[in-house]
Every structure is written in C-alpha cells, then in structure tokens.
Amino acid sequence: MARIGVEESLTDVQQKLQEDGHEVIPLRQEEDANGCDCCIISGQDENVMGMQNTAIQGAVISAQGLSANDIGQEVQKRLQQQQ
C-alpha cells in the first residue's frame, strides 16, 4: 500500500485510489506531501500549492485531462518504476 497525496478537489481520484488499497493524504499545504510516495495535482494552476521546491522524492502526476482510472493506472506504473 502506497501513501498518495491528492489535491482536495480531486475527490473521484481520492476514492479510486482508496479502492485500490492506497493510503490517501489530502494535500492542503506543502507539508502534507512529506512522506508521500506519489502526489496527484489538478494541473489547473502551474504552482497551485505555492511550492517553491520539491517536497517529495516520488512522482508528481497532473490529473489534467485524465480520468480517475487513468490516474490509478499511472500511479501503479510510477510505483513500479520506483522499486
């Protein structure tokens, strides 16, 4: 089970990832990304969370134009690459 940070506005993505067995952390501020294996952002704003530097070691995936299922598949792919 991976720890995935997801922007609060992406409720369908949060639900899908929880169904897939992941621990979902709502991203409200930069510190929320600490310890996450992967983060999902809406992609609506370039710097939506006001981050000036990278807070996580894992992948950051933009949800723009992707369905919750597409994001679930992308998360699995990225997690496998990290192993």
Side-chain angles (χ1 to χ4, degrees), residues 32-61:
D32 295 336
N34 292 337
C36 289
D37 299 302
C38 182
C39 287
I40 314 300
I41 60 170
S42 67
Q44 293 175 346
D45 296 316
E46 186 173 315
N47 193 3
V48 71
M49 295 180 63
M51 292 183 185
Q52 297 298 319
N53 54 14
T54 304
I56 67 165
Q57 298 293 334
V60 176
I61 300 170

Side-chain angles (χ1 to χ4, degrees), residues 1-8 10-28 32 36-40 75:
M1 173 171 76
R3 187 171 188 199
I4 311 294
V6 181
E7 273 189 31
E8 288 187 300
L10 300 171
T11 54
D12 58 332
V13 173
Q14 291 177 5
Q15 185 175 27
K16 168 65 176 149
L17 293 172
Q18 286 172 334
E19 289 171 3
D20 290 348
H22 299 293
E23 178 185 0
V24 174
I25 308 299
L27 296 178
R28 296 182 189 103
D32 295 336
C36 289
D37 299 302
C38 182
C39 287
I40 314 300
V75 166

